[in-house]
Amino acid sequence: MKQEIKKLREFILNAKSLMVLTGAGISKDSGVPTFRGEDGLWRNYDATKLATPYAFRENPKLVWEWYNWRRSIILKAAPNYAHFAIKKLEDMIEDFLLVTQNVDNLHRDAGSKKLVEMHGNIFETLCTGCGHVKFEKKVFREDELPPRCGRCNSLLRPNVVWFTEPIPSEVLKIIFESIDSKEAILVVGTSLFVYPAALLPFIFKERNKKVFEINPEETDISCFADISIRGKAKEVFEEII
Ligand code: OAD
């Protein structure tokens, strides 16, 4: 076993507390594409440019086609070993919180309960008129797009956080209050390009808490992380757990 993996395993075995931050990379081995890099393209649109209130106002059907496409991919996906391993960490470590930027529901499918979906959930719709939120694992038919609310007939939008939109304050409160009691953060499969999620490891570092990372690529925290493992989440967790 590689030295770094061994060190992380030892930490986990004795840990009393842990925050885990995940991003799209953890679901890559489940067949869900990441946002950046060659995977991040959809019909030549930049995925990150479709995830904006502006794009939705301009062309709700196009934005919904993209979310429908993403729903169809995610519906075919199942949690992989890394999602289940993180559920196992939740069971092993008393003071635990999973913060995910992913909207794909795969952590929930793996059984995670102590989790915050910082960017929302792709299977939820939010009515732009009456605010009703509905969870439904489905792909809309072409003739249903853009979908409308069954109660007030206003446009439905995906209940996810778009660029330029704030993270709901109650979500931020849970995350930031939880930092105090945590001795370490484990960052898995995120490029750390998107704030405020990207701030979390820096806050841990600043407070002299431990920072661990699993990612096949280097990121901005690799140089100061206490343990930085270059590898795919699924393969690294197969060695750890
Ligand atoms: P990105 O697509 O920016 O980054 C994916 C990260 O996963 C990269 O750092 C890859 O090196 C890494 N990676 C790739 N394969 C991996 C594997 N098998 N195991 C582990 N890591 C792997 O995705 P995020 O950082 O999650 O926001 O993106 C953050 C946010 O930007 C998303 O939540 C989304 C997006 O726009 C919103 O929709 C608001």
Side-chain angles (χ1 to χ4, degrees), residues 16 41 47 79 83 89 94 117 145 158 161 166-167 178 182 188 197 207 226 237:
K16 301 268 179 296
L41 295 175
H83 295 98
L89 297 185
E94 203 180 311
E117 291 169 316
L145 295 182
V161 176
I167 309 286
S178 152
K182 302 292 180 294
V188 185
R207 297 203 193 165
D226 297 273
F237 275 113

Side-chain angles (χ1 to χ4, degrees), residues 161-173:
V161 176
W162 282 331
F163 285 100
T164 74
E165 291 183 324
I167 309 286
S169 56
E170 63 277 13
V171 169
L172 284 182
K173 192 162 178 273

Side-chain angles (χ1 to χ4, degrees), residues 56-177:
F56 189 70
R57 257 195 322 271
E58 288 294 295
N59 196 340
K61 188 156 186 266
L62 175 71
V63 172
W64 261 113
E65 278 168 358
W66 182 54
Y67 277 96
N68 227 16
W69 172 75
R70 285 179 61 197
R71 279 181 174 220
S72 70
I73 289 174
I74 294 166
L75 277 174
K76 283 185 223 125
N80 66 57
Y81 196 92
H83 295 98
F84 289 112
I86 288 173
K87 165 59 181 150
K88 183 113 182 151
L89 297 185
E90 175 183 310
D91 295 339
M92 286 168 64
I93 300 171
E94 203 180 311
D95 180 2
F96 179 89
L97 184 68
L98 165 61
V99 178
T100 186
Q101 298 167 85
N102 298 347
V103 297
D104 59 23
N105 207 63
L106 291 180
H107 282 299
R108 283 190 195 278
D109 290 340
S112 284
K113 299 265 180 321
K114 293 182 185 169
L115 91 163
V116 178
E117 291 169 316
M118 204 173 177
H119 293 163
N121 187 304
I122 197 166
F123 292 115
E124 283 180 6
T125 52
L126 168 67
C127 176
T128 56
C130 67
H132 181 63
V133 173
K134 188 172 174 186
F135 177 91
E136 222 177 352
K137 270 193 169 180
K138 67 174 247 187
V139 173
F140 290 98
R141 293 191 319 270
E142 181 64 27
D143 64 331
E144 287 179 298
L145 295 182
R148 290 193 169 265
C149 179
R151 301 179 172 202
C152 72
N153 205 37
S154 302
L155 269 185
L156 296 177
R157 58 165 282 179
N159 195 20
V160 298
V161 176
W162 282 331
F163 285 100
T164 74
E165 291 183 324
I167 309 286
S169 56
E170 63 277 13
V171 169
L172 284 182
K173 192 162 178 273
I174 295 171
I175 297 169
F176 281 91
E177 284 183 359

Side-chain angles (χ1 to χ4, degrees), residues 23-25 29 34-36 101 119 161 163 189-191 194 215-217 233:
D29 285 318
T34 59
F35 290 90
R36 293 169 183 83
Q101 298 167 85
H119 293 163
V161 176
F163 285 100
T190 170
S191 61
V194 173
N215 197 312
E217 309 274 333

